[in-house]
Amino acid sequence: FVNPQVLTHTLESKSIAGLYLAGQICGTTGYEEAGAQGVVAGANAGRAAGAAHRGERAPSPFVLGRDEAYIGVLVDDLVTKGTSE
């Protein structure tokens, strides 16, 4: 288990750059929630890896806001409030 409050809204670890986490390791239950987190983490990891491979600066983050998508609410609650599951 990793406390999700140690992650940014991109689901990247605050202390280990390039480490993106999603799903059960963050204390999330449910296939849909874990899958949606995987999309956010995977999109950000892929963008970061592509930029690093090309020698470019880090790209702008892929973050969905609370007012934009259900996953935006889920990720925001997860990284700011944590979970007790």
Side-chain angles (χ1 to χ4, degrees):
F1 171 75
V2 175
N3 183 339
Q5 292 176 300
V6 304
L7 304 175
T8 68
H9 282 79
T10 63
L11 299 178
E12 181 179 19
S13 169
K14 293 176 183 175
S15 61
I16 304 172
L19 178 63
Y20 295 82
L21 303 173
Q24 288 183 331
I25 196 166
C26 298
T28 298
T29 59
Y31 296 111
E32 294 86 0
E33 291 86 352
Q37 287 176 48
V39 168
V40 172
N44 282 298
R47 291 165 53 88
H53 179 73
R54 293 185 299 275
E56 299 172 355
R57 292 180 36 205
S60 59
F62 173 69
V63 176
L64 297 169
R66 295 182 73 89
D67 61 334
E68 297 175 305
Y70 169 72
I71 187 59
V73 174
L74 188 147
V75 169
D76 186 56
D77 282 351
L78 193 64
V79 302
T80 60
K81 299 178 182 178
T83 182
S84 60
E85 295 183 10

